[in-house]
Amino acid sequence: MIRPAVPSDWPAIHAVETAAFGRPDEADLVEALRADGDALVELVAEEGGAVVGHILFSPLATDTGAAFAALAPVAIRPDRQKDGLGGGLILAGLQACRDLDIEAVILLGHPSYYPRFGFSAEAALKVAAPFKGRSFMGLALTEGALEKPVAITYAKAFGL
């Protein structure tokens, strides 16, 4: 079951993030984003009452005033990886962003994984950001959202 995260999930989310990445950095990022009020969309995958996956989208400031979001992080408990839970969280999160009238989602991720959801480095070519390259990808949720140059600024918790 995929559902919005609630405060009682936070310890389990921290554990999932830490286990998935083998370090607490992403879990600490999630906590900092929440503390700053920058958790735009936060979902969990739950099985048998246990949180086994997590995704968070945070707002990106744009120089055009467009509504963009960053997808970071997404994590699945190691024993449940490669079962489609990450994809389910991504699709549910993208729909939640559409429901909030987010125009585009930007991420830094594995170039062979995220294109299956429509993300591409080509879509992010006109986005001025601290990142570039094959791992820096975008997905327009509204037509034309990534066709004009735009500069983005990540939430303070990213430290960029």
Side-chain angles (χ1 to χ4, degrees):
M1 172 174 68
I2 294 174
R3 60 170 176 76
V6 296
S8 61
D9 296 325
W10 294 356
I13 290 168
H14 192 280
V16 167
E17 291 285 346
T18 300
F21 288 98
R23 61 180 190 249
D25 299 12
E26 286 76 10
D28 294 343
L29 172 63
V30 167
E31 291 177 1
L33 287 164
R34 273 195 218 115
D36 292 341
D38 287 326
L40 183 65
V41 171
E42 185 174 14
L43 305 173
V44 295
E46 180 183 348
E47 290 181 341
V51 171
V52 296
H54 173 255
I55 194 168
L56 189 138
F57 294 79
S58 58
L60 288 166
T62 65
D63 65 346
T64 63
F68 282 21
L71 188 174
V74 60
I76 304 300
R77 204 171 68 192
D79 66 318
R80 297 294 288 127
Q81 291 176 0
K82 303 198 185 304
D83 288 343
L85 293 173
L89 282 168
I90 291 167
L91 292 173
L94 291 173
Q95 185 57 54
C97 285
R98 283 184 187 93
D99 293 345
L100 293 172
D101 296 323
I102 299 300
E103 297 170 58
V105 175
I106 304 295
L107 62 81
L108 188 67
H110 202 285
S112 67
Y113 180 71
Y114 290 97
R116 71 185 75 182
F117 304 103
F119 288 91
S120 72
E122 294 77 24
L125 286 175
K126 294 184 179 179
V127 178
F131 308 108
K132 286 291 173 206
R134 292 177 357 123
S135 297
F136 182 67
M137 294 177 263
L139 172 65
L141 300 181
T142 61
E143 191 172 333
L146 293 170
E147 291 178 4
K148 294 181 180 176
V150 60
I152 61 171
T153 303
Y154 282 80
K156 179 180 78 169
F158 284 94
L160 302 172

